Amino acid sequence: MDQRTSNVHRLLADHVRSPSLRHIRDPHFLTKLALQIVKSLDSDGSVWRKWEGPRDTVISSALDCWIPNDDMLAFLNTLPGQPLTMTDLEQRMRHLIEVEYIASPEPDLQAECLKIYQAEKSAGTEMPAIIGRLSAYVAAQWQRLQDARRKEEESRLEAARLERERRLLSYGDCPWTQIKGSKCFYCRKNGRVFQLKPNSDKSWNMYRVFAVDDNEAGEMIGRYRTRADANKVVAKAAYEPEPWR
């Protein structure tokens, strides 16, 4: 194999060496692997001259593992290449995170990652093995965190919707909200209730109604592409005389 093929082969071999099938298939780590491959193939034109060879592979794999920089720098300087300074390490990590988007450390995992790292270091585990264990841990916890945050966001949105619903049904002014089980959106402004009814082309018909009820026969005001467009009309219609009353 030529050098380029050998580099790709090495990256793939490192990835499938993981004992966790979930880790191998995880989209987060597949994206990380793809970026490492592309970067490896483009390395001939890189301006980062101290990062040729295995150094870049190591630091790319460890970006989200919360390994102390002092220990990482010491290990990287045992690998072939010119001596690295702490600035070299910090700026290379920043570039990989902010420019190449390979990975970024998850703040919620910092404490546990450091605990695992210190335990493995005390046991005499070598750095590549520690990185492998931490990467597997981060992969497993990443999905858990995503699920927890999604549930938290859903709860927050539902609580906000319930508050809007409470205000609407209590005759208080409120922005567009959807009562549970309703296909329409309602808002109250200046004590007046407006209804948005969806059309098949994703546009909205807006009505002035007198009850929060999908079956309410109201006075049609217009047809609008988005709720934002309807909002501009509501801002005026809520304060104009109502000729049908």
Side-chain angles (χ1 to χ4, degrees), residues 11 15 43 54 123 126 128 148 151 154 163 173 181 197 217 223 231:
L11 290 169
H15 181 73
S43 62
E126 64 177 349
K151 289 179 181 178
E154 289 171 354
E163 174 58 20
D173 283 8
K197 187 168 290 186
R223 186 184 184 101
N231 267 338

Side-chain angles (χ1 to χ4, degrees), residues 12-26 29 120 128-137 139-140:
L12 291 172
D14 287 343
H15 181 73
V16 300
R17 191 174 291 122
S18 170
S20 169
L21 187 60
R22 180 176 180 180
H23 173 249
I24 291 173
R25 294 176 174 176
D26 188 278
F29 286 93
E120 293 293 352
I130 296 177
I131 293 173
R133 181 182 173 188
L134 286 173
S135 293
Y137 171 76

Side-chain angles (χ1 to χ4, degrees), residues 168 174-177 185-189 192-195 234:
L168 180 69
C174 70
W176 293 111
T177 190
F185 281 81
Y186 296 88
C187 82
R188 192 188 304 273
K189 193 172 185 67
R192 300 177 183 180
V193 181
F194 298 88
Q195 178 197 73
V234 167

Side-chain angles (χ1 to χ4, degrees), residues 63 89-100:
L63 278 176
L89 174 61
E90 291 173 349
Q91 293 306 310
R92 184 57 178 156
M93 290 173 66
R94 179 180 177 185
H95 180 85
L96 293 173
I97 292 170
E98 298 180 3
V99 179
E100 299 192 24

Side-chain angles (χ1 to χ4, degrees), residues 192-219:
R192 300 177 183 180
V193 181
F194 298 88
Q195 178 197 73
L196 277 180
K197 187 168 290 186
N199 297 309
S200 59
D201 63 355
K202 297 185 179 180
S203 64
W204 301 86
N205 287 343
M206 185 165 71
Y207 300 85
R208 167 72 170 99
V209 296
F210 296 92
V212 180
D213 184 344
D214 287 6
N215 297 318
E216 172 80 0
E219 183 76 15

Side-chain angles (χ1 to χ4, degrees), residues 1 86 156 176 241:
M1 294 186 289
M86 184 60 73
R156 186 190 68 80
W176 293 111

Side-chain angles (χ1 to χ4, degrees), residues 29-239:
F29 286 93
L30 285 175
T31 300
K32 188 174 177 180
L33 173 63
L35 289 166
Q36 288 176 338
I37 291 173
V38 170
K39 184 164 61 64
S40 174
L41 295 176
D42 292 342
S43 62
D44 289 343
S46 175
V47 298
W48 299 86
R49 297 302 184 186
K50 292 184 178 182
W51 294 90
E52 297 177 355
R55 283 176 169 177
D56 231 15
T57 301
V58 171
I59 193 60
S60 295
S61 300
L63 278 176
D64 51 3
C65 293
W66 288 107
I67 293 174
N69 285 357
D70 288 342
D71 289 358
M72 178 56 67
L73 180 64
F75 175 73
L76 291 172
N77 275 327
T78 66
L79 301 177
Q82 302 175 50
L84 293 167
T85 67
M86 184 60 73
T87 300
D88 285 326
L89 174 61
E90 291 173 349
Q91 293 306 310
R92 184 57 178 156
M93 290 173 66
R94 179 180 177 185
H95 180 85
L96 293 173
I97 292 170
E98 298 180 3
V99 179
E100 299 192 24
Y101 306 105
I102 288 180
S104 59
E106 170 54 62
D108 289 347
L109 300 180
Q110 180 179 10
E112 187 61 26
C113 280
L114 288 174
K115 181 179 178 181
I116 293 171
Y117 175 77
Q118 293 299 338
E120 293 293 352
K121 179 182 177 181
S122 298
T125 308
E126 64 177 349
M127 184 66 78
I130 296 177
I131 293 173
R133 181 182 173 188
L134 286 173
S135 293
Y137 171 76
V138 168
Q141 296 302 310
W142 184 82
Q143 188 58 54
R144 179 186 64 79
L145 288 175
Q146 291 299 104
D147 292 342
R149 287 168 181 167
R150 184 173 60 253
K151 289 179 181 178
E152 183 179 338
E153 178 65 7
E154 289 171 354
S155 297
R156 186 190 68 80
L157 292 174
E158 178 61 11
R161 188 196 68 78
L162 288 173
E163 174 58 20
R164 292 195 304 272
E165 180 179 308
R166 184 194 66 78
R167 288 182 57 81
L168 180 69
L169 298 179
S170 299
Y171 303 97
D173 283 8
C174 70
W176 293 111
T177 190
Q178 192 172 33
I179 304 299
K180 195 165 187 179
S182 171
K183 67 178 181 179
C184 299
F185 281 81
Y186 296 88
C187 82
R188 192 188 304 273
K189 193 172 185 67
N190 192 31
R192 300 177 183 180
V193 181
F194 298 88
Q195 178 197 73
L196 277 180
K197 187 168 290 186
N199 297 309
S200 59
D201 63 355
K202 297 185 179 180
S203 64
W204 301 86
N205 287 343
M206 185 165 71
Y207 300 85
R208 167 72 170 99
V209 296
F210 296 92
V212 180
D213 184 344
D214 287 6
N215 297 318
E216 172 80 0
E219 183 76 15
M220 184 171 179
I221 297 176
R223 186 184 184 101
Y224 305 96
R225 186 171 58 85
T226 66
R227 277 185 279 167
D229 293 336
N231 267 338
K232 297 174 185 177
V233 178
V234 167
K236 296 181 179 180
Y239 297 97

